[in-house]
Amino acid sequence: MKTVKVLVAAAFLAVLSLVFTSSGCKEKSTEPEQGVQPITEDLFPLVVGRKLVFSGFLRDAITDVNIEATGAVFEARMTVAAVNTQTPFGTAHVISDSMRVPTGLPQPPTTWVVSSYYVQRSSPTGSGNFSFLTNIGRFYRTFGLQRADSLRWIMLVKQDAGVGEEWTGFDSTWTAPTGQVRLQIVGKIEPKAPITVNNQTYSVYKATATRKIYLGGSATPSVVGETASLWLAPDLGIVKFIFNADGESRGFYRELKSKNF
């Protein structure tokens, strides 16, 4: 069972402190623990007018696998439209997202689907955590919850947590007709590594958002599944993007093809 998509963030375990014995005496001294080391690079610079163009595929709503036939026409464009602007959801940065997909009809064979991403972070550029406004309506409908607040801010990237440690980007519990239900979105960032897309190699961090659903007050999740994965190149942004299908609507798979900066 799949629920909300969302998109997604991360954590860093530092090296354990080293213990050593001084030469010529029995006294031991211990180096201080380094602690978490935040990622200080700008993983998603939001500069008005910057545009990323992607190739890729739609993903099947039920099986969540790429629909290879859509790759012949699929194109997506993410353009930074505004920063620090007032929106119906508070002050945020706005990314215009346009995606060309097949219609399944003789005419027109393709259509552009236009939407917006709303992003919150302390500054549009520089290092920092950022959250995406995400629709969790699918989750509400699955469990019979009658609520009007289906748009929720979810932290997808937590740079001050560093690399390798899981963090919580969203966590809430409701009473559904069938009993208590809890939705938790957790994130993690993997160490920087090279990735090649469209014959271009980038050094990136991979951030993955995973949903966990707990039923009836259980401490063990009944459902666990990825909702989104982003490969982020410092000073550039997203170079690869998987937005998982949720059983109700299609997701997508994107690879960076070009940029205008």
Side-chain angles (χ1 to χ4, degrees), residues 5 10 31 80 101 112 121 133 135 138 152 155 161 166 199:
K5 311 177 175 112
E31 293 183 357
V80 181
V101 296
W112 284 94
R121 61 185 301 190
L133 190 69
N135 192 328
R138 164 67 169 166
R152 307 295 292 268
M155 184 177 290
E166 185 177 270
N199 300 314

Side-chain angles (χ1 to χ4, degrees), residues 3-8 132-136 152 154 156 185 209 211 226-230 242-244:
T3 58
V4 61
K5 311 177 175 112
V6 241
L7 288 92
V8 183
F132 277 67
L133 190 69
T134 305
N135 192 328
I136 64 172
R152 307 295 292 268
I154 296 177
L156 291 187
I185 306 287
R211 74 189 179 286
E226 292 183 0
T227 63
S229 298
L230 300 90
I242 296 177
F243 197 54
N244 298 92

Side-chain angles (χ1 to χ4, degrees), residues 5-24:
K5 311 177 175 112
V6 241
L7 288 92
V8 183
F12 195 105
L13 262 187
V15 198
L16 294 177
S17 57
L18 302 176
V19 179
F20 65 94
T21 303
S22 301
S23 174

Side-chain angles (χ1 to χ4, degrees), residues 50-70:
R50 280 195 175 189
K51 178 168 62 176
L52 303 175
V53 180
F54 300 85
S55 60
F57 310 91
L58 290 177
R59 294 174 73 85
D60 185 87
I62 305 300
T63 64
D64 192 35
V65 297
N66 291 343
I67 305 172
E68 299 290 338
T70 63

Side-chain angles (χ1 to χ4, degrees), residues 3 54-56 71 75 101 128 141 152 159 164 196 212 228 237 257:
T3 58
F54 300 85
S55 60
E75 184 177 312
V101 296
R141 290 187 291 276
R152 307 295 292 268
Q159 289 191 218
T196 300
K212 298 181 180 182
K257 183 168 62 173

Side-chain angles (χ1 to χ4, degrees), residues 6 89 131-137 140 147-155 170-172 174 183:
V6 241
F89 318 103
S131 301
F132 277 67
L133 190 69
T134 305
N135 192 328
I136 64 172
Y140 288 162
R147 300 183 61 91
D149 60 342
S150 59
L151 294 175
R152 307 295 292 268
W153 288 105
I154 296 177
M155 184 177 290
F170 179 85
D171 196 342
S172 194
W174 301 267
L183 172 63

Side-chain angles (χ1 to χ4, degrees), residues 137-256:
R138 164 67 169 166
F139 172 82
Y140 288 162
R141 290 187 291 276
T142 297
F143 293 98
L145 294 166
Q146 302 298 318
R147 300 183 61 91
D149 60 342
S150 59
L151 294 175
R152 307 295 292 268
W153 288 105
I154 296 177
M155 184 177 290
L156 291 187
V157 174
K158 197 175 191 310
Q159 289 191 218
D160 61 16
V163 174
E165 186 78 10
E166 185 177 270
W167 80 92
T168 300
F170 179 85
D171 196 342
S172 194
T173 301
W174 301 267
T175 300
T178 55
Q180 192 177 67
V181 58
R182 173 187 173 196
L183 172 63
Q184 182 185 46
I185 306 287
V186 298
K188 182 182 289 187
I189 294 182
E190 297 178 11
K192 189 190 291 186
I195 184 175
T196 300
V197 295
N198 285 314
N199 300 314
Q200 180 69 43
T201 300
Y202 305 91
S203 183
V204 303
Y205 295 93
K206 180 186 177 183
T208 302
T210 301
R211 74 189 179 286
K212 298 181 180 182
I213 299 174
Y214 303 80
L215 302 178
S218 172
T220 303
S222 300
V223 176
V224 177
E226 292 183 0
T227 63
S229 298
L230 300 90
W231 287 256
L232 301 157
D235 301 318
L236 193 162
I238 300 172
V239 300
K240 184 177 176 181
F241 192 177
I242 296 177
F243 197 54
N244 298 92
D246 66 0
E248 192 174 78
S249 56
R250 293 172 175 172
F252 57 71
Y253 173 100
R254 298 179 179 182
E255 291 186 347
L256 183 64

Side-chain angles (χ1 to χ4, degrees), residues 77-93:
R77 303 170 184 171
M78 299 181 71
T79 305
V80 181
V83 296
N84 295 316
T85 190
Q86 289 299 317
T87 76
F89 318 103
T91 302
H93 315 301

